[in-house]
Amino acid sequence: MVERTVRVGSSHGLHARPAKLFTQAAAGSGSSVTIAKAGGAPVNAASILAVIAQGIDHGDEVTVVVDGGDEQRVLDELVELLSTDHDE
Amino acid sequence: MEFRGTGIGQGVAVGPVVRMAERLPEPVDRPSHLDPAREEERARASVSVVADDLQRKGAQAGGAAQDVLEAQAMMAEDPTLMDDVVKRLADGKTAERAVYEAFAAFRDLLSSMGGYMGERAADLDDVSQRVVAHLLKVPAPGVPNPGHPFVLVARDLAPADTALLDLTQVLGLVTIDGGPTSHTAILAREKSIVAIVGAADASALADGDTVIVDAENDLVVQSPDADAVAAAKERIAERAARAAAPITPGALADGTAVPLLANLGSADGAAGAVELGAEGVGLFRTEFLFLDADRAPSVSEQQEQYTRLLSAFPGRKVVVRVLDAGADKPLAFLNDAEEENPALGLRGIRALRHAEVILREQLTALATADAATDADLWVMAPMIATVDETRYFTDLCRELGLKTAGVMVETPSAALIADRVLGVADFASIGTNDLTQYTMAADRLLGTVANLQDPWAPAVLRLVAEVGAAGGRLGKPVGICGEAAADPLLAVVLVGLGASTLSMSPSALADVRASLARYTREDAERIARAALAAEGAAEAKQAAKQAAESAPTPTGTTVP
């Protein structure tokens, strides 16, 4: 199990398109992935509704936990996705 | 079979019917007679079919729509949602009910968060309807996409549905509810969709029926014979040729100029209107600057927008209506009181007078934009009922440096004392939608009284004639800026009643231009008299048609 905390780079936060890109990647990773907002409970990162419902905004810190599969590579990819601004 | 409704515009369309499925009722909360595992299988099968379908539509659509549709596909198969569904199934609910409840719970959560999440709530609702429809083995609600051009038949369209209409596929539109001033009608006019609204009996039409949608004659023909189809196709070709004809200034056959102007709701439409031959702007609505705002925009914000608009029409007339808030478009900072009858409440000039600083700021921004550009700016106030209100507005305009100040005639009161109103105002512009609503005492947004919402009503025409005559006597211009001006035959009647300019959705300009060119002023007056003398709206239209047919064809003009 590996985890990392990262700041969300998308200017509109983790809603709409960025949320879709992130959950698509999490669902397709073959690992079990959770995401948690600072101080919040972790939710299934493959669930677009759970992710959107976190109300994660630009600049929020989130912690991603990857369990199983190619953990390190999956974590790197997801962190990269989260820190990129997809709303440019 | 033939069905009558109200035609929007002059177009004709032929094609196969596709019906828009109606919104599903809420699934009944009754115990399932299947065991939860079997219900879960059903639910999983349906979400998977719906998700695949959304994915496929996304791939077809491409662009931004693809992202939305793919996100919806993921919502359909969302694991958190499915956990919730399974939990509800364990309580003995049916798959339909469990899916409905689980989506509704998420929808409520998202809409309570507002903003971006709130917008997703509508997407979620749509997915929920699709899954429940699949479980029930009924067509999914919403605008269908059969993959070929079609005539859409619907009870009525929600604004969200109309935004999704693929105009390359929708040949025509028939609604069962709704009147000529409903939002669907306004949209159809704006986008030049051939439409018949309020065709109550059209519910008899079924998927796959061939129909002719004949907006000019207010008629939907079910299963027409080959001759009728050929005639309709010929008319479609003629109309296309007319739209491609060179653009000339609006005029009657005898050369009398009738400037054709555009109704615009934002500065963005200006270039398109000029392209379609608009000789200026007859109604610029300023509400867009104020809606979605919890405060009035600043003078400089407004000035920038007005400058952008005026710059598009150098040397041309641009008529700007000051903020028309209230009734169906309340603004938090202007109308704070609950009103039982908002259409008869504190709206238009009444609301502005109540909050004069907003009016002063708007007029100041307009005067500054006017000074910086070459357009000929006219300003007018909405919902004028008295001479006192007219004087209040025109005095304020002059104080703030605006040259031309007029009023909208939307109340029967203003029409009946038009000679006195025009003694004070520089011009009048008749808003036929509201004038019809107030004359007939029929809410323009209410489908049940849509039959009364017809600007052909002789009472409405009579009021237009009052204003036209007063304008003629006093030498003051009288324009029309309601939807009535977009009806090519009614446009001739309005000119015959004394209107000197006509303003409409730019898409209607070509048809109205062609229609005016067929009649002299004398013809127009005769056609108007025939309509005025009729018993009712339908008879007035019929009488005008007959009078128009007996008009001699002007030499040198080809009748389309």
PDB file of all heavy atoms in Angstrom, chain B residues 2 20 79 81 95 120 157 168 183 243 284 367 393 413 415 432 480 532 540:
ATOM      1  N   GLU B   2     -55.357  15.476 -40.574  1.00  0.00           N
ATOM      2  CA  GLU B   2     -54.694  16.777 -40.422  1.00  0.00           C
ATOM      3  C   GLU B   2     -54.892  17.283 -38.999  1.00  0.00           C
ATOM      4  O   GLU B   2     -55.948  17.083 -38.415  1.00  0.00           O
ATOM      5  CB  GLU B   2     -55.290  17.798 -41.390  1.00  0.00           C
ATOM      6  CG  GLU B   2     -54.987  17.475 -42.845  1.00  0.00           C
ATOM      7  CD  GLU B   2     -55.455  18.567 -43.784  1.00  0.00           C
ATOM      8  OE1 GLU B   2     -56.213  19.459 -43.348  1.00  0.00           O
ATOM      9  OE2 GLU B   2     -55.069  18.528 -44.943  1.00  0.00           O
ATOM     10  N   MET B  20     -40.962  12.211 -28.623  1.00  0.00           N
ATOM     11  CA  MET B  20     -40.136  12.333 -27.436  1.00  0.00           C
ATOM     12  C   MET B  20     -40.891  11.675 -26.296  1.00  0.00           C
ATOM     13  O   MET B  20     -42.032  12.040 -26.006  1.00  0.00           O
ATOM     14  CB  MET B  20     -39.894  13.799 -27.126  1.00  0.00           C
ATOM     15  CG  MET B  20     -39.024  13.994 -25.927  1.00  0.00           C
ATOM     16  SD  MET B  20     -38.220  15.600 -25.989  1.00  0.00           S
ATOM     17  CE  MET B  20     -38.998  16.349 -24.618  1.00  0.00           C
ATOM     18  N   PRO B  79     -19.790   2.634  -8.628  1.00  0.00           N
ATOM     19  CA  PRO B  79     -19.813   1.590  -7.587  1.00  0.00           C
ATOM     20  C   PRO B  79     -20.477   2.044  -6.283  1.00  0.00           C
ATOM     21  O   PRO B  79     -21.169   1.245  -5.644  1.00  0.00           O
ATOM     22  CB  PRO B  79     -18.331   1.271  -7.363  1.00  0.00           C
ATOM     23  CG  PRO B  79     -17.557   2.364  -8.016  1.00  0.00           C
ATOM     24  CD  PRO B  79     -18.430   2.985  -9.062  1.00  0.00           C
ATOM     25  N   LEU B  81     -22.871   4.185  -5.950  1.00  0.00           N
ATOM     26  CA  LEU B  81     -24.303   4.202  -6.205  1.00  0.00           C
ATOM     27  C   LEU B  81     -24.866   2.779  -6.179  1.00  0.00           C
ATOM     28  O   LEU B  81     -25.914   2.518  -5.587  1.00  0.00           O
ATOM     29  CB  LEU B  81     -24.566   4.849  -7.578  1.00  0.00           C
ATOM     30  CG  LEU B  81     -26.042   4.956  -7.884  1.00  0.00           C
ATOM     31  CD1 LEU B  81     -26.513   6.388  -7.708  1.00  0.00           C
ATOM     32  CD2 LEU B  81     -26.350   4.490  -9.278  1.00  0.00           C
ATOM     33  N   ALA B  95     -36.081  -3.170  -8.336  1.00  0.00           N
ATOM     34  CA  ALA B  95     -34.899  -2.540  -8.920  1.00  0.00           C
ATOM     35  C   ALA B  95     -35.223  -1.112  -9.358  1.00  0.00           C
ATOM     36  O   ALA B  95     -34.433  -0.186  -9.145  1.00  0.00           O
ATOM     37  CB  ALA B  95     -34.399  -3.365 -10.098  1.00  0.00           C
ATOM     38  N   ARG B 120     -24.298  19.132 -12.068  1.00  0.00           N
ATOM     39  CA  ARG B 120     -24.227  17.683 -12.303  1.00  0.00           C
ATOM     40  C   ARG B 120     -25.525  16.993 -11.894  1.00  0.00           C
ATOM     41  O   ARG B 120     -25.821  15.901 -12.341  1.00  0.00           O
ATOM     42  CB  ARG B 120     -23.060  17.057 -11.541  1.00  0.00           C
ATOM     43  CG  ARG B 120     -21.700  17.609 -11.900  1.00  0.00           C
ATOM     44  CD  ARG B 120     -21.158  17.044 -13.195  1.00  0.00           C
ATOM     45  NE  ARG B 120     -21.731  17.660 -14.390  1.00  0.00           N
ATOM     46  CZ  ARG B 120     -21.422  18.874 -14.811  1.00  0.00           C
ATOM     47  NH1 ARG B 120     -20.568  19.619 -14.148  1.00  0.00           N
ATOM     48  NH2 ARG B 120     -21.961  19.349 -15.899  1.00  0.00           N
ATOM     49  N   LEU B 157     -41.190  21.133 -24.885  1.00  0.00           N
ATOM     50  CA  LEU B 157     -39.773  20.914 -24.645  1.00  0.00           C
ATOM     51  C   LEU B 157     -39.320  21.745 -23.453  1.00  0.00           C
ATOM     52  O   LEU B 157     -39.717  22.892 -23.305  1.00  0.00           O
ATOM     53  CB  LEU B 157     -38.957  21.324 -25.874  1.00  0.00           C
ATOM     54  CG  LEU B 157     -39.175  20.494 -27.127  1.00  0.00           C
ATOM     55  CD1 LEU B 157     -38.342  21.047 -28.273  1.00  0.00           C
ATOM     56  CD2 LEU B 157     -38.806  19.045 -26.873  1.00  0.00           C
ATOM     57  N   THR B 168     -29.104  19.562 -37.345  1.00  0.00           N
ATOM     58  CA  THR B 168     -28.866  18.889 -38.624  1.00  0.00           C
ATOM     59  C   THR B 168     -29.790  17.681 -38.755  1.00  0.00           C
ATOM     60  O   THR B 168     -29.962  17.140 -39.835  1.00  0.00           O
ATOM     61  CB  THR B 168     -27.407  18.412 -38.749  1.00  0.00           C
ATOM     62  OG1 THR B 168     -27.159  17.484 -37.687  1.00  0.00           O
ATOM     63  CG2 THR B 168     -26.436  19.570 -38.644  1.00  0.00           C
ATOM     64  N   HIS B 183     -41.806  29.401 -24.572  1.00  0.00           N
ATOM     65  CA  HIS B 183     -40.357  29.426 -24.778  1.00  0.00           C
ATOM     66  C   HIS B 183     -39.957  28.549 -25.963  1.00  0.00           C
ATOM     67  O   HIS B 183     -39.036  28.876 -26.698  1.00  0.00           O
ATOM     68  CB  HIS B 183     -39.644  28.991 -23.505  1.00  0.00           C
ATOM     69  CG  HIS B 183     -39.757  30.024 -22.423  1.00  0.00           C
ATOM     70  ND1 HIS B 183     -39.227  31.282 -22.562  1.00  0.00           N
ATOM     71  CD2 HIS B 183     -40.364  30.011 -21.227  1.00  0.00           C
ATOM     72  CE1 HIS B 183     -39.502  31.993 -21.494  1.00  0.00           C
ATOM     73  NE2 HIS B 183     -40.200  31.241 -20.656  1.00  0.00           N
ATOM     74  N   ALA B 243     -34.326  32.576 -49.279  1.00  0.00           N
ATOM     75  CA  ALA B 243     -33.344  32.916 -48.254  1.00  0.00           C
ATOM     76  C   ALA B 243     -32.018  33.285 -48.897  1.00  0.00           C
ATOM     77  O   ALA B 243     -31.238  34.063 -48.350  1.00  0.00           O
ATOM     78  CB  ALA B 243     -33.167  31.755 -47.287  1.00  0.00           C
ATOM     79  N   PHE B 284     -33.060  45.822 -28.105  1.00  0.00           N
ATOM     80  CA  PHE B 284     -31.923  45.196 -27.444  1.00  0.00           C
ATOM     81  C   PHE B 284     -32.322  45.000 -25.995  1.00  0.00           C
ATOM     82  O   PHE B 284     -32.556  45.953 -25.265  1.00  0.00           O
ATOM     83  CB  PHE B 284     -30.665  46.064 -27.556  1.00  0.00           C
ATOM     84  CG  PHE B 284     -29.452  45.411 -26.935  1.00  0.00           C
ATOM     85  CD1 PHE B 284     -28.832  44.339 -27.574  1.00  0.00           C
ATOM     86  CD2 PHE B 284     -28.945  45.842 -25.726  1.00  0.00           C
ATOM     87  CE1 PHE B 284     -27.718  43.725 -27.003  1.00  0.00           C
ATOM     88  CE2 PHE B 284     -27.845  45.226 -25.150  1.00  0.00           C
ATOM     89  CZ  PHE B 284     -27.230  44.164 -25.795  1.00  0.00           C
ATOM     90  N   ALA B 367     -25.418  56.483 -22.207  1.00  0.00           N
ATOM     91  CA  ALA B 367     -25.028  57.788 -22.753  1.00  0.00           C
ATOM     92  C   ALA B 367     -23.537  57.807 -23.046  1.00  0.00           C
ATOM     93  O   ALA B 367     -23.102  58.333 -24.081  1.00  0.00           O
ATOM     94  CB  ALA B 367     -25.409  58.894 -21.775  1.00  0.00           C
ATOM     95  N   PHE B 393     -39.640  59.041 -17.351  1.00  0.00           N
ATOM     96  CA  PHE B 393     -38.538  58.390 -18.063  1.00  0.00           C
ATOM     97  C   PHE B 393     -37.859  59.342 -19.045  1.00  0.00           C
ATOM     98  O   PHE B 393     -36.630  59.446 -19.082  1.00  0.00           O
ATOM     99  CB  PHE B 393     -39.054  57.144 -18.795  1.00  0.00           C
ATOM    100  CG  PHE B 393     -37.988  56.419 -19.558  1.00  0.00           C
ATOM    101  CD1 PHE B 393     -36.992  55.719 -18.882  1.00  0.00           C
ATOM    102  CD2 PHE B 393     -37.956  56.438 -20.946  1.00  0.00           C
ATOM    103  CE1 PHE B 393     -35.995  55.046 -19.569  1.00  0.00           C
ATOM    104  CE2 PHE B 393     -36.959  55.769 -21.640  1.00  0.00           C
ATOM    105  CZ  PHE B 393     -35.978  55.073 -20.960  1.00  0.00           C
ATOM    106  N   SER B 413     -53.590  50.328 -21.662  1.00  0.00           N
ATOM    107  CA  SER B 413     -53.671  51.731 -21.254  1.00  0.00           C
ATOM    108  C   SER B 413     -52.799  52.621 -22.133  1.00  0.00           C
ATOM    109  O   SER B 413     -53.254  53.639 -22.662  1.00  0.00           O
ATOM    110  CB  SER B 413     -53.261  51.861 -19.777  1.00  0.00           C
ATOM    111  OG  SER B 413     -53.016  53.200 -19.467  1.00  0.00           O
ATOM    112  N   ALA B 415     -51.700  52.055 -25.066  1.00  0.00           N
ATOM    113  CA  ALA B 415     -52.189  52.082 -26.447  1.00  0.00           C
ATOM    114  C   ALA B 415     -53.388  53.018 -26.578  1.00  0.00           C
ATOM    115  O   ALA B 415     -53.498  53.784 -27.531  1.00  0.00           O
ATOM    116  CB  ALA B 415     -52.557  50.665 -26.895  1.00  0.00           C
ATOM    117  N   THR B 432     -45.716  43.195 -28.863  1.00  0.00           N
ATOM    118  CA  THR B 432     -46.983  42.497 -29.096  1.00  0.00           C
ATOM    119  C   THR B 432     -47.208  41.310 -28.164  1.00  0.00           C
ATOM    120  O   THR B 432     -48.346  40.949 -27.898  1.00  0.00           O
ATOM    121  CB  THR B 432     -47.072  42.011 -30.559  1.00  0.00           C
ATOM    122  OG1 THR B 432     -45.855  41.338 -30.877  1.00  0.00           O
ATOM    123  CG2 THR B 432     -47.284  43.170 -31.500  1.00  0.00           C
ATOM    124  N   ILE B 480     -42.632  47.970 -34.179  1.00  0.00           N
ATOM    125  CA  ILE B 480     -43.149  46.738 -33.570  1.00  0.00           C
ATOM    126  C   ILE B 480     -41.929  45.918 -33.181  1.00  0.00           C
ATOM    127  O   ILE B 480     -41.027  45.730 -33.997  1.00  0.00           O
ATOM    128  CB  ILE B 480     -43.982  45.899 -34.575  1.00  0.00           C
ATOM    129  CG1 ILE B 480     -45.071  46.729 -35.249  1.00  0.00           C
ATOM    130  CG2 ILE B 480     -44.528  44.638 -33.903  1.00  0.00           C
ATOM    131  CD1 ILE B 480     -46.315  46.967 -34.442  1.00  0.00           C
ATOM    132  N   LEU B 532     -58.924  43.699 -39.156  1.00  0.00           N
ATOM    133  CA  LEU B 532     -59.525  44.451 -38.041  1.00  0.00           C
ATOM    134  C   LEU B 532     -61.011  44.165 -37.889  1.00  0.00           C
ATOM    135  O   LEU B 532     -61.548  44.162 -36.789  1.00  0.00           O
ATOM    136  CB  LEU B 532     -59.365  45.956 -38.292  1.00  0.00           C
ATOM    137  CG  LEU B 532     -58.262  46.708 -37.595  1.00  0.00           C
ATOM    138  CD1 LEU B 532     -58.362  48.185 -37.936  1.00  0.00           C
ATOM    139  CD2 LEU B 532     -58.297  46.515 -36.095  1.00  0.00           C
ATOM    140  N   ALA B 540     -59.468  36.677 -38.434  1.00  0.00           N
ATOM    141  CA  ALA B 540     -58.670  37.827 -38.874  1.00  0.00           C
ATOM    142  C   ALA B 540     -57.554  37.370 -39.808  1.00  0.00           C
ATOM    143  O   ALA B 540     -57.296  37.971 -40.853  1.00  0.00           O
ATOM    144  CB  ALA B 540     -58.085  38.564 -37.665  1.00  0.00           C
TER     145      ALA B 540
END
